[in-house]
Amino acid sequence: MTTEWGEKSTADLMTRYVSKETGYGVPKEGWRICLAHEFKEKRKPLQAKDVSLSNIWDHVGLGVRYLKWWYRKTQVEKKAPFIDMFGAQPLRQIYGAPLGGIGGGTITRGWRGEFCRWQLNPGMYEYKTVTANQFTVCLRRGGQTVYQQVLSVERPPTLQGWNWGYCGEYAFYHALYPRAWTVYHLPGQNVTLTCRQISPVIPHDYQDSSLPVAVFVWDIENKNDYDLDVSIMFTMVNGSGHKNDKSGGHWNEPFQVEKEGETVSGVLLHHRTPVNPYTLCIAAREQPDREVSHQTAFSPKGTCSALWSDLITDGRLDSPTGSSPPTTKGETVAAALAVGCSVPAQGHNTLELCLAWDMPNITFGSREREHVRRYTRFFGTKGDASPSLSHYALTHYKQWERSIEEWQTPILQDSSLPSWYKSALFNELYFVADGGSVWTELAEDADVSGGIRSEDGGLPAQPAVVKEYGRFAYLEGQEYRMYNTYDVHFYASFALIMLWPKLALSLQYDIAGSVVQPDPTVRLHLMNGLCSPVKVKNVVPHDIGDPDDEPWQRVNAYLIHDTSDWKDLNLKFVLQVYRDFHLTQDRQYLQDMWPICKAVMESEMKFDLDGDGLIENSGYADQTYDGWPVTGPSAYCGGLWLASLCVMCKMATLVDSEDMHQHYRDILERGSAAFDKLLWNGKYYNYDSSGRNLSNSVMSDQCAGHWFLRASGLGEGDFQAFPKEKIQRALKSVFDLNVMSFAGGQMGAVNGMRPEGVPDRSSVQSDEVWTGVVYGLAATMIHEGMRDEGLRTAEGCYRTVWERLGMAFQTPEAYCEKGIYRSLAYMRPLSIWAMQLALDTSQKIPTTSAQTGNTDGSRDTT
């Protein structure tokens, strides 16, 4: 069933490909699309008109408050709102794998070859396609140019002196992040080019993974009976398409650097803005049988015929010496680099090019303090690292590829896994780098403890893991610009803890420090119109700030409820602490976090209003499902609470605290009985216990607490919060109703479903599909032995997003059955790595704890 659907769906993206060429070394698995493909469905972002009248009425106050705040933010303060409800990004079905490592900024190259999305300033995006940023091929035979073509399907109104309009039916794009391939068959030339882009995103590598570089390797196949000389020209504008490209003062210069017997040359493009200046670098490795040439500066407007003629004359550029003069205001400047080689008849050769950028010292919107990016530990903070970065990239990319293949190959060669899953698993990882990610060094005067030291139940001022591996932050979404939004990180965190565990622990220390630190500043909360402190003590913050303000210094609470009512955030912190310990076995981390966990659990106790061991909700469920009304104990928060009690019992045994173990054990036993009595209906756990008309809706995420127990090696034996048979029955109900009864079973799991088989439309979010939640649900099913159901559930999301809606490398937070989506390029889909953990665990750990020899069924899966 799945295989037949999958083969047909994948083929749809390649139906317009007319060539028989498969490219050089292109893998079988990944996301593949013909450059001539056009997506039929054109969706729009959620707007006010898409909200039902009843829901609009419920949120009139929010709308008025938001409008006032938005006006002040944009018109008075001249800032970008962290959520712009009036400026949602339209769907552009163009994006490919981003370039660059983690935390140093990214540049996205679209699947048609355009450079089209820029995140150089931390957390802030420019959605600009820069026309002149292109690769051009020149073929020469017997000293004469026989073919010269811009490798772009576009026909822009500028640069008319260039040969545009490459036929997209002869090319395809293939992505398997952090690498991607574009295969160009040159019609009538009997030549095939395969451009392979490599970014250093390598699990457990904390040096090279931080580098702001990408390498383009061009494999050239000459199927003719005669030799050819082939050149590839790389053109790049000094800037990102932003208005400051014309601010003046930018300049280019050629360079050459020799180290350890290897020489690299190219052009540096110095972009001298007053805030966060940077240098772009295009470079190639010089070798005896390669010719590297350059054009230091040209104007990327008009016909630009001179540059085209320069290349077409002899396959090389003039290579002038000296720097270009600084640009005047209103002027832009670009540079070009060409590298050429001979390709024998019926033979193959390779050309290598590099793109690097150096923005070592960054400030956020408030300009209060300067932060130093992680890669500067290895390449310096002076802003002169581009030549060294490009040299390092061109001489180390083969080592990166070996590491990437060593990591990916076991999964790619696993015949029991469907092809779509392999594509989804690796390609969704784009967000770790392209989620506005910042990775900085810990300043010498920094104190992450929140002011309370270890001896007083707090943390070290500079925990060893943070000092050694730096601080990491990523956005909730490219449109929801809040760093480390914790309720969403709960889902996405699986990618970090499995692949870069030191960054996951570092992030947890930052959160823990903010837990104990209050912020008494009174702020109006837009959601409910109430005024309350920004942050109360012993409560997990919603996030650590806005990139247009000062992350790590001030949390963002404008759209959030009173912090004293953030039930799920505290519980998610406790669950992640133990999950992270389980996967890392870091005893110091557990010792440091134990007192923080006790403090946040105590702050939750006040919500046990009737003393039955189960916390209650009022108004809204939590921060994750904000806007979905709930009253009394709920399946979601109640389940997280019981799971948190369970892991507190486990942690108490590990830190030899029998009193606390018994304390949490007593609450767990009472809470489990109350949870079962109030919410179990024989088939699943009701949404809440209020008894209102919609309280028996089927929530797709009702087993989230149990999911984390299973991911932590718990959930059975002495550390069990939910009866196994009821969890499995609930998951079966979710699969039957939320998955198979929704959109023909081909779009994932809808958040809320009525037991009669129609979506719950009681809120804006209840009839949405949340991609990251679906991946987490699929992981839960796999943990419980429902592997086929889990894969089918997740497949619906992948097919919808990547193959039907054209949302590759911008996976949204949510979409509905028809018409709309919400919040492109979102953090939560990184939860697909929870599926991989579940698959690994199900292969390594027997189904019953009695067989493992451990009372809790735990085992280190790293």
Side-chain angles (χ1 to χ4, degrees), residues 229-348:
D229 293 321
V230 181
S231 298
I232 298 291
M233 180 174 70
F234 187 12
T235 50
M236 179 66 59
V237 171
N238 189 328
S240 61
H242 190 269
K243 61 182 180 181
N244 64 28
D245 293 1
K246 298 182 179 181
S247 62
H250 312 309
W251 55 285
N252 302 342
E253 67 170 326
F255 77 93
Q256 184 180 72
V257 58
E258 190 276 329
K259 292 181 182 179
E260 300 174 352
E262 294 280 1
T263 301
V264 167
S265 63
V267 184
L268 304 177
L269 295 76
H270 300 285
H271 198 76
R272 313 317 293 169
T273 50
V275 179
N276 296 341
Y278 63 91
T279 298
L280 288 167
C281 172
I282 52 177
R285 188 154 61 114
E286 295 191 353
Q287 300 176 73
D289 55 348
R290 305 288 189 277
E291 183 169 23
V292 181
S293 58
H294 70 268
Q295 181 57 260
T296 308
F298 70 91
S299 176
K301 62 181 181 181
T303 63
C304 207
S305 298
L307 180 69
W308 190 262
S309 299
D310 186 7
L311 182 68
I312 208 169
T313 299
D314 55 7
R316 65 184 307 278
L317 302 175
D318 284 346
S319 299
T321 59
S323 303
S324 69
T327 57
T328 59
K329 191 170 183 178
E331 178 188 13
T332 55
V333 66
L337 184 74
V339 56
C341 67
S342 294
V343 187
Q346 300 297 329
H348 161 266

Side-chain angles (χ1 to χ4, degrees), residues 560-595:
I560 315 306
H561 303 298
D562 182 341
T563 56
S564 64
D565 197 30
W566 295 3
K567 301 174 184 65
D568 68 318
L569 299 183
N570 282 357
L571 304 176
K572 288 171 177 175
F573 177 79
V574 171
L575 290 169
Q576 285 190 71
V577 165
Y578 182 72
R579 189 273 318 267
D580 295 349
F581 167 74
H582 171 67
L583 294 177
T584 64
Q585 295 296 302
D586 188 322
R587 286 275 175 175
Q588 185 60 54
Y589 170 74
L590 182 65
Q591 291 289 344
D592 288 342
M593 294 296 170
W594 170 244

Side-chain angles (χ1 to χ4, degrees), residues 117-288:
R117 185 169 67 195
W118 307 75
Q119 190 257 142
L120 298 178
N121 284 308
M124 307 301 285
Y125 287 80
E126 296 295 330
Y127 299 92
K128 302 288 186 180
T129 297
V130 182
T131 303
N133 292 353
Q134 299 290 345
F135 289 104
T136 296
V137 62
C138 174
L139 304 183
R140 293 175 58 78
R141 180 186 179 190
Q144 297 293 321
T145 296
V146 295
Y147 181 85
Q148 188 162 297
Q149 173 73 51
V150 182
L151 295 171
S152 170
V153 299
E154 302 301 323
R155 297 180 182 273
T158 58
L159 305 176
Q160 291 295 302
W162 297 10
N163 185 25
W164 295 91
Y166 172 84
C167 183
E169 294 180 351
Y170 289 88
F172 69 86
Y173 177 85
H174 186 94
L176 191 64
Y177 188 77
R179 297 191 294 174
W181 296 254
T182 312
V183 176
Y184 304 91
H185 179 62
L186 306 183
Q189 304 304 314
N190 226 10
V191 171
T192 300
L193 309 175
T194 302
C195 175
R196 182 170 83 257
Q197 70 179 50
I198 305 120
S199 294
V201 179
I202 304 165
H204 308 286
D205 181 319
Y206 298 92
Q207 174 176 320
D208 290 5
S209 290
S210 72
L211 304 182
V213 297
V215 174
F216 300 94
V217 178
W218 289 82
D219 286 292
I220 306 159
E221 296 175 273
N222 178 12
K223 306 291 182 66
N224 295 291
D225 294 329
Y226 47 81
D227 299 348
L228 284 172
D229 293 321
V230 181
S231 298
I232 298 291
M233 180 174 70
F234 187 12
T235 50
M236 179 66 59
V237 171
N238 189 328
S240 61
H242 190 269
K243 61 182 180 181
N244 64 28
D245 293 1
K246 298 182 179 181
S247 62
H250 312 309
W251 55 285
N252 302 342
E253 67 170 326
F255 77 93
Q256 184 180 72
V257 58
E258 190 276 329
K259 292 181 182 179
E260 300 174 352
E262 294 280 1
T263 301
V264 167
S265 63
V267 184
L268 304 177
L269 295 76
H270 300 285
H271 198 76
R272 313 317 293 169
T273 50
V275 179
N276 296 341
Y278 63 91
T279 298
L280 288 167
C281 172
I282 52 177
R285 188 154 61 114
E286 295 191 353
Q287 300 176 73

